[in-house]
Amino acid sequence: MAERDYYEVLGVKRSASQEEIRAAYRKLARELHPDVNKSPDAQEKFAEVQSAYDILGEPEKRAQYDRFGRAGAAQAAGSGGGAHYSWSNVGGRGGGGVDFDLDDMGSVFESLFGGGGAGPRSARAQRGRTRERARPAAQAELDISFMTMARGGTERVPVRRGGKATTIEVSIPKAIADGAKLRVAGGGGEPDLILTVRVGKHPLYRREGALDLEIDLPLTYAEAALGKEVGVPTLEGEVFITVPAGTRSGKRLRLRGRGLTDSKGASGDLYAVVQIVPPPTGSLNDEDRATLERLSGLGPSPRTSPPWPSNNG
């Protein structure tokens, strides 16, 4: 495939000013740099943009390119000092290849990462840093308590920096999901660290979905049958709820807005799940037993409809 015209590569007209060429180059470099763009052809496109700017970005080389095409530009580029690298020129007008100064590659990193200095950076050092950033991230698990998940906070994590063991504080967002991943940027030559969050259990609360919570609400026979106002522990303190008369075991009583609250301020609900608790074994006297026997005969049997056998009535 023939190589494209350098002006076309940068997306500018042949009459473009040097400032317009520089602006177009910076824009494309930010979009296509392999550290930012993970597309399979990003590296190839990035190199093509850099080659175009190496010529059009210098008035003398640009003039040679305008008059003689790539062959003239290559000759102008070869007259200077510094290290050179030849990109393959398949089917191009120049024939043998296009040389450009690798030291100019530093301008890409200056535009991307805000580097300064009087002269261009060393391309070899930049390539080394690119390889360093491309190292696979390390993996680890981070155990946090249920309450740290609920309220957010920080956890101290052991890492290596510059070959030395140290600890850093990792911020835990409120209501983070179990299994969520947090990335800790590497430093001192170390790769990034991916932490998989594992949330511990709570003796009272169970998480339902993203922000809802469940809690068991123990009730006596009498409380479930007659109804009662009872206190329910929430993350923010005790809240009283009215249990309707005749409440069955397993019924979920909703406390709006008393679940988890995430870092954006959205809140879930807390559901109190009724659990009817019988009296302890051996605590009933004969009178109590008689009372319960009499009460059990009130109303129809709860097991009269299919698929319960008829003898359960």
Side-chain angles (χ1 to χ4, degrees), residues 224-245:
L226 302 177
K228 187 178 178 65
E229 187 177 66
V230 298
V232 176
T234 74
L235 293 175
E236 305 302 327
E238 187 178 47
V239 172
F240 283 86
I241 186 173
T242 299
V243 177

Side-chain angles (χ1 to χ4, degrees), residues 3 6 51 55 69-75 77-78 85-100:
E3 291 178 327
Y6 282 152
S51 297
I55 300 303
R70 294 201 180 204
Q75 183 177 0
Y85 184 87
S86 178
W87 288 92
S88 175
N89 189 10
V90 181
R93 291 171 294 174
V98 179
D99 291 336
F100 62 92

Side-chain angles (χ1 to χ4, degrees), residues 142 153-159 166-172 184 195:
L142 175 60
T154 58
E155 291 285 335
R156 296 185 65 83
V157 177
V159 297
T166 184
T167 58
I168 61 173
E169 287 192 345
V170 176
S171 178
I172 308 299
V184 179
L195 296 172

Side-chain angles (χ1 to χ4, degrees), residues 219-228 243-249 274 276:
L219 296 176
T220 66
Y221 289 156
E223 289 171 337
L226 302 177
K228 187 178 178 65
V243 177
T247 295
R248 294 170 175 263
S249 186
V274 172
I276 298 177

Side-chain angles (χ1 to χ4, degrees), residues 65-267:
Y65 177 78
D66 289 343
R67 293 185 64 187
F68 305 110
R70 294 201 180 204
Q75 183 177 0
S79 63
H84 288 73
Y85 184 87
S86 178
W87 288 92
S88 175
N89 189 10
V90 181
R93 291 171 294 174
V98 179
D99 291 336
F100 62 92
D101 193 347
L102 277 181
D103 285 346
D104 288 343
M105 287 290 285
S107 61
V108 174
F109 292 88
E110 291 172 10
S111 66
L112 285 171
F113 306 112
R121 301 180 184 180
S122 165
R124 182 175 300 173
Q126 295 298 352
R127 291 196 302 275
R129 280 192 284 273
T130 300
R131 284 195 298 270
E132 177 183 310
R133 284 191 293 272
R135 292 174 62 185
Q139 304 282 335
E141 290 195 348
L142 175 60
D143 294 323
I144 65 173
S145 69
F146 186 95
M147 293 308 296
T148 298
M149 174 278 295
R151 302 188 186 281
T154 58
E155 291 285 335
R156 296 185 65 83
V157 177
V159 297
R160 295 189 67 83
R161 289 290 186 269
K164 296 181 180 180
T166 184
T167 58
I168 61 173
E169 287 192 345
V170 176
S171 178
I172 308 299
K174 294 171 66 175
I176 189 170
D178 181 64
K181 297 183 184 299
L182 299 174
R183 178 181 286 269
V184 179
E190 301 297 333
D192 289 358
L193 176 62
I194 304 296
L195 296 172
T196 301
V197 176
R198 297 302 180 195
V199 180
K201 303 296 183 181
H202 193 277
L204 293 180
Y205 303 112
R206 299 181 297 274
R207 191 171 186 172
E208 291 292 320
L211 297 175
D212 290 343
L213 294 177
E214 276 190 350
I215 185 173
D216 288 337
L217 177 59
L219 296 176
T220 66
Y221 289 156
E223 289 171 337
L226 302 177
K228 187 178 178 65
E229 187 177 66
V230 298
V232 176
T234 74
L235 293 175
E236 305 302 327
E238 187 178 47
V239 172
F240 283 86
I241 186 173
T242 299
V243 177
T247 295
R248 294 170 175 263
S249 186
K251 183 177 178 61
R252 300 168 84 232
L253 304 177
R254 182 180 184 181
L255 287 82
R256 291 182 179 273
R258 294 292 180 168
L260 298 171
T261 300
D262 64 17
S263 56
K264 296 181 180 180
S267 296

